Amino acid sequence: MLPRLFCLVGPTDDLSVLPDLARLGVRGFQVRAKHWSTRVDDRMALRLARDVVAAVRPHGATVVVDDRLDVALAAGADGVHLGALDLPVADARRLAPGLLVGATCRDADDVRRAAQDGADYAGFGPVFDTLSKPGLPAPLGLDAISTATGDLPLLAIGGMDAPRAREARSAGAHGVAVIGALWRQPDPLLAARELLDAVA
């Protein structure tokens, strides 16, 4: 089953916390290797993905890799999450029929197209303002979740914390994906407990 809470993990995050997050009940982890394009960076991305898989899979968690089908396959991850400029969903599905495939979506039409192309879920956002990724479009708001439900499970992203995660679930989201709601908190485990309660 698709996890209701995904924790995004980058190269500067504290990987030593990951097993504790997984033991606590966080069942989704998304590896972000943004801005890595050289061959050396490919190896760094692969090492990060493998480290995340090794840290959380023994505890039953699912790992997807942002953008990079090749890294997901090489690392033995469970899936790949594709943005608008990445490998098309249909091609990823053809090349890796057994992987979980997510697609970044901004509206109901995006979600329908992703479903037709074989995606398993939609990363939907940004729902609220966020500091975690520059250059994003204006926040979509909770009403956009309600209008986009039905074709795929939606993972709301963008400015999420526990109260907003609860609101996103009430609006129809399957779950949420978070960055700052965990990594910018003084106690990531306490924050994770609150988020898990919010999306339950």
Side-chain angles (χ1 to χ4, degrees):
M1 180 178 173
L2 183 69
R4 293 197 185 275
L5 176 61
F6 270 84
C7 169
L8 276 70
V9 184
T12 61
D13 295 321
D14 182 2
L15 302 190
S16 69
V17 178
L18 297 184
D20 290 333
L21 288 171
R23 279 191 288 266
L24 187 65
V26 178
R27 287 291 172 262
F29 293 85
Q30 184 171 329
V31 180
R32 301 181 83 223
K34 298 294 186 185
H35 314 305
W36 291 1
S37 57
T38 67
R39 184 166 300 174
V40 172
D41 288 340
D42 286 351
R43 294 188 178 191
M44 292 172 65
L46 178 58
R47 187 177 307 117
L48 174 62
R50 284 178 169 159
D51 287 346
V52 174
V53 169
V56 304
R57 181 165 289 153
H59 308 289
T62 295
V63 179
V64 301
V65 174
D66 244 16
D67 307 334
R68 300 289 302 273
L69 178 62
D70 56 341
V71 173
L73 289 169
D78 303 287
V80 63
H81 185 89
L82 300 169
L85 300 180
D86 298 327
L87 186 71
V89 167
D91 291 304
R93 174 56 67 217
R94 177 175 53 82
L95 291 168
L99 284 192
L100 186 68
V101 177
T104 295
C105 297
R106 309 283 187 214
D107 56 34
D109 288 338
D110 285 349
V111 176
R112 277 191 290 273
R113 281 191 293 269
Q116 291 166 0
D117 289 341
D120 297 296
Y121 71 91
F124 194 80
V127 177
F128 301 104
D129 276 318
T130 177
L131 300 175
S132 298
K133 185 178 177 182
L136 289 174
L140 301 174
L142 292 167
D143 288 345
I145 296 174
S146 300
T147 61
T149 57
D151 290 294
L152 287 174
L154 304 183
L155 291 176
I157 189 168
M160 288 293 154
D161 56 19
R164 286 175 166 180
R166 191 171 283 108
E167 291 177 333
R169 285 277 288 132
S170 295
H174 172 82
V176 300
V178 299
I179 305 173
L182 284 178
W183 297 118
R184 286 197 289 270
Q185 305 309 308
D187 186 343
L189 293 177
L190 176 60
R193 286 190 190 95
E194 293 172 349
L195 285 160
L196 287 166
D197 287 344
V199 298

